Amino acid sequence: MSLLAVSDLCLGYEGKAVVRDISFTVNEGDYLCIIGENGSGKTTLIKGLLGLMSKYSGEILFSDDLEQSHIGYLSQHFKHKKDFPASVREVVMSGFLSRRRFGFGYSKAQYVEAHSVMEQVGIIELEKKIFSDLSGGQQQRVLLARALCATRRLILLDEPTSALDPIVTADFYSLLRKLSQDGVGVVMVSHDINSALRHATHILCLDDNSSFFGTTHEFVHSDQGRKFILSDCPCDDCTIIHNRGGIENA
């Protein structure tokens, strides 16, 4: 089922287009990585999808049962004071605020859902810890759980691993892949091309001349893909194996 369909989208600032004629779709279970050179419009595109800036032209369509305000979002940096007193459970539960229409407080069902989400992302043992006392990798898992409480359908992430070490980064990518296998649509801006190719099912590559959207397999063998991949990747030389639309190092 299509969660998001973007057609001929143009976005920019002060009359100058940054993202031009972009088209792509995200279905349930898709893991789309957005890549491109610095300044190619990756973060601008995420802002457009979130409704934080007006489009110049084109369409952004969501499925009938998915509201734009209910999309889960994890930014590159989460600003908080060092003495930020909130517990992990409080931070995770705050994800429900975007879904609240009336009343105050949280329902019993939401407490149950938050507990399930924390188990899903592997932070249930941290729920009473103070958020600011956690490591960077732990904080990103907490914020991912918060995004999932905003929605279990579609999450957008803007370079969430930029401040994490390689081991934690690999673990985070694997977690996102597991979420996509569970049916969540994942859209992530990434500067880590190798990890994107290893885990994503689809690639959106933003380029000044022409953008690319397709499966990871298609990207690897495209002209745009060859600009980003340093070595040749023939399918039959066992250096790469194809896996459910994406690729993995053998």
Side-chain angles (χ1 to χ4, degrees), residues 29 79 243 248:
K79 296 180 179 180
N243 185 26
E248 280 189 354

Side-chain angles (χ1 to χ4, degrees), residues 116-126 138 141 145 175:
S116 175
V117 168
M118 285 188 284
E119 285 187 325
Q120 187 177 17
V121 302
I123 58 168
I124 191 63
E125 74 281 359
L126 302 175
Q138 290 172 329
R141 280 178 173 260
L175 175 58

Side-chain angles (χ1 to χ4, degrees), residues 65-78:
D65 58 347
L66 178 64
E67 295 183 29
Q68 189 175 44
S69 61
H70 293 176
I71 296 172
Y73 174 57
L74 179 53
S75 63
Q76 185 174 357
H77 301 291
F78 179 73

Side-chain angles (χ1 to χ4, degrees), residues 192-235:
D192 186 346
I193 304 299
N194 289 334
S195 291
L197 296 179
R198 187 175 299 118
H199 294 285
T201 63
H202 294 75
I203 298 291
L204 174 62
C205 180
L206 302 184
D207 191 288
D208 288 338
N209 298 318
S210 61
S211 63
F212 172 91
F213 169 68
T215 66
T216 307
H217 170 82
E218 291 167 342
F219 176 71
V220 169
H221 297 281
S222 70
D223 291 339
Q224 291 95 331
R226 294 185 183 97
K227 290 170 58 178
F228 286 87
I229 301 169
L230 297 180
S231 59
D232 293 333
C233 301
C235 293

